[in-house]
Amino acid sequence: MKYNEISHFSHLQHTLKFEYTEFPFKCDGCKEVGIGSRYRCATCDFDLHMHCALPSSSITHPFYTKCSFQFLSRPPGDMPRFCNACEKDVTGFVYHCKSCGFDLHPCCAKLPMMLDDGDVKLYLYKKVSAACHKCGRKGRSWSYRSTCKKYNLHVACVREMLMESWHDIYVGRGKGRRLETRIPSLKNTLHTHHKKSKGKVQKCCEIAGLAVQFVISAMLGDPTTLIAGVIGSLMSRA
């Protein structure tokens, strides 16, 4: 459920107002990149993903049927922790299973189990045996896989691209909208991977490449058609 204005325990000074932005921001809750829907205090330049602003006190996940994840405002203990979905550091809001010790970023915990762009479906897997379309490695983190089984993308690889390009994402703030990211490189990766293939396999991967827009937008906290279109416009500039 969306509210136009909320109070939040992490920012008691002012209320946070719902807004939509096509410019990337850093969530002050989970400390990860965001885009699209957010709750914001303009006075303090304070932003929260939708998932961080309106968290569940506890959740379950189909990949961890014996776990109960509790929402925490900071990682437990003093040791560095990482997200079991994307393998990146957890430095802010987190869903944590005390009995198993597993951790999930709020946006990773809410990743859709299936993405459907109308022509092809991508399913979220805990692990796949095939190599990732981006890094070429097997195993590792959660992955999205196309129904043609020719396209795989690690959640970790998406996260890496976003984090490695943080400075590029933020370039030009206040100086016009220069949305420079490494996201467009996915488009080139797709064409390179199947540059000699024909027919259904090539078409499947081209369609899957479009569906990757939704993977990226989901990682950014807003898996909607509208924000996927924004990501798509970035990819088209490659």
Side-chain angles (χ1 to χ4, degrees):
M1 182 179 295
K2 184 189 77 175
Y3 302 93
N4 290 329
E5 191 169 356
I6 63 170
S7 297
H8 199 273
F9 70 87
S10 65
H11 192 73
L12 298 176
Q13 304 94 307
H14 308 101
T15 57
L16 306 178
K17 294 183 178 180
F18 175 83
E19 67 175 42
Y20 181 90
T21 177
E22 294 181 2
F23 199 94
F25 62 88
K26 183 175 182 178
C27 176
D28 289 291
C30 66
K31 315 302 182 186
E32 298 296 325
V33 180
I35 196 171
S37 301
R38 65 178 173 182
Y39 280 94
R40 175 171 174 77
C41 173
T43 302
C44 302
D45 193 23
F46 184 91
D47 301 290
L48 291 177
H49 288 124
M50 287 280 289
H51 295 318
C52 292
L54 304 171
S56 303
S57 58
S58 64
I59 62 168
T60 57
H61 198 281
F63 288 167
Y64 305 101
T65 56
K66 297 182 180 180
C67 292
S68 176
F69 291 89
Q70 308 298 313
F71 177 79
L72 302 176
S73 60
R74 61 178 181 272
D78 299 321
M79 298 294 293
R81 306 194 68 85
F82 68 93
C83 174
N84 286 88
C86 69
E87 296 190 336
K88 298 306 168 188
D89 292 341
V90 172
T91 58
F93 292 179
V94 62
Y95 284 105
H96 173 73
C97 177
K98 185 176 181 180
S99 60
C100 298
F102 295 148
D103 298 286
L104 296 174
H105 289 125
C107 288
C108 291
K110 302 292 185 178
L111 284 173
M113 296 301 295
M114 187 268 288
L115 296 168
D116 184 358
D117 73 349
D119 291 298
V120 71
K121 293 180 174 68
L122 273 72
Y123 291 91
L124 185 64
Y125 290 86
K126 187 177 180 181
K127 182 179 289 189
V128 295
S129 57
C132 171
H133 212 102
K134 179 61 180 174
C135 70
R137 288 182 285 174
K138 300 179 180 181
R140 210 182 179 197
S141 72
W142 295 2
S143 299
Y144 275 102
R145 188 179 191 183
S146 62
T147 49
C148 67
K149 299 183 179 181
K150 297 296 183 181
Y151 187 87
N152 300 283
L153 184 69
H154 287 140
V155 169
C157 288
V158 177
R159 178 69 71 188
E160 282 182 0
M161 285 186 287
L162 294 172
M163 296 311 295
E164 288 173 1
S165 63
W166 173 245
H167 291 294
D168 291 333
I169 291 174
Y170 232 69
V171 162
R173 184 167 188 176
K175 303 176 183 177
R177 291 172 54 200
R178 288 180 56 206
L179 290 173
E180 304 286 346
T181 76
R182 290 181 58 188
I183 291 171
S185 65
L186 282 173
K187 180 182 178 184
N188 294 332
T189 300
L190 284 167
H191 288 301
T192 300
H193 186 77
H194 279 303
K195 61 184 178 181
K196 296 182 180 179
S197 64
K198 302 293 183 181
K200 293 183 179 179
V201 173
Q202 183 176 13
K203 180 174 177 58
C204 174
C205 288
E206 288 176 351
I207 296 171
L210 297 177
V212 168
Q213 299 170 26
F214 289 87
V215 180
I216 296 169
S217 56
M219 290 291 293
L220 290 169
D222 196 341
T224 63
T225 302
L226 186 59
I227 200 63
V230 174
I231 301 298
S233 69
L234 294 177
M235 293 178 68
S236 68
R237 298 176 192 176

